[in-house]
Amino acid sequence: YLEHLRALVAETRFMLQAPEDPLADPEEQRLQLDHIGRLSNSVAMVAVRPGRSPGRDPILGSLTLLGGTLARTRSGALLSMGVVASAWGLGIGGALLDVGMAWARQNPTLVRVGLQVYADNAPARGLYRSRGFVEEGVLRRDVRELDGAEEDLVGMSAWVGRPR
């Protein structure tokens, strides 16, 4: 999983984490995944090639839904996902998103899934819109790149349960 995360941050500028940022060590990553596993409104999933032995082949994509932990925030989850460059255009992002959103719709706690995406990442924005996400607003100059450039993020969300 850590190798997958390293590949994601090295291959695209559309991840908030940069290659220069430290990744969790294996024990920290295990604790983070264990924490996600204990939360009833959170899930982490990966995509690998079909028919291969789990844990033996590279991860092609990953998706995390991290649910809120407070009484007022537990009905929402923050989505993050990424697909390695060698698997772009193969439908892996869409498949991960479909499975993740199906899981969220079945979750009795979740009502809303939110995310943030780079404003100029048109393919990702199109994918999210195709799965029912709506754009809620622009976070102007929310990201500062190492070269000093400032980038906008777009907040998007999708309803997965019945609003109260």
Side-chain angles (χ1 to χ4, degrees):
Y1 188 73
L2 287 172
E3 288 174 24
H4 167 69
L5 295 180
R6 272 189 207 91
L8 287 178
V9 300
E11 293 175 339
T12 179
R13 69 175 193 81
F14 292 125
M15 302 301 289
L16 290 177
Q17 186 166 8
E20 297 80 12
D21 294 325
L23 286 173
D25 66 36
E27 180 60 17
E28 290 170 325
Q29 187 64 63
R30 186 190 66 73
L31 291 172
Q32 290 173 10
L33 291 171
D34 286 348
H35 175 73
I36 290 169
R38 286 192 305 276
L39 298 173
S40 64
N41 62 348
S42 300
V43 69
M45 43 184 77
V46 297
V48 296
R49 294 198 186 283
R52 306 259 178 118
S53 300
R56 303 240 187 256
D57 289 304
I59 294 171
L60 302 175
S62 60
L63 177 142
T64 302
L65 287 166
L66 186 58
T69 57
L70 304 174
R72 292 180 173 161
T73 63
R74 77 183 68 179
S75 64
L78 182 62
L79 183 143
S80 60
M81 65 180 281
V83 175
V84 296
S86 63
W88 289 351
L90 301 177
I92 292 174
L96 272 170
L97 192 53
D98 290 343
V99 172
M101 294 303 286
W103 181 91
R105 283 190 290 277
Q106 294 298 314
N107 187 286
T109 305
L110 293 178
V111 173
R112 179 183 185 278
V113 172
L115 61 88
Q116 295 176 353
V117 60
Y118 275 75
D120 62 341
N121 190 347
R125 289 172 69 183
L127 173 64
Y128 296 132
R129 278 194 301 273
S130 76
R131 299 315 199 269
F133 282 81
V134 295
E135 296 183 1
E136 296 182 322
V138 177
L139 303 165
R140 299 274 179 222
R141 299 166 45 181
D142 199 51
V143 174
R144 182 176 296 254
E145 301 295 339
L146 293 177
D147 65 2
E150 294 172 328
E151 301 286 341
D152 296 344
L153 295 178
V154 175
M156 301 180 78
S157 72
W159 290 99
V160 295
R162 287 191 310 190
R164 293 185 210 186

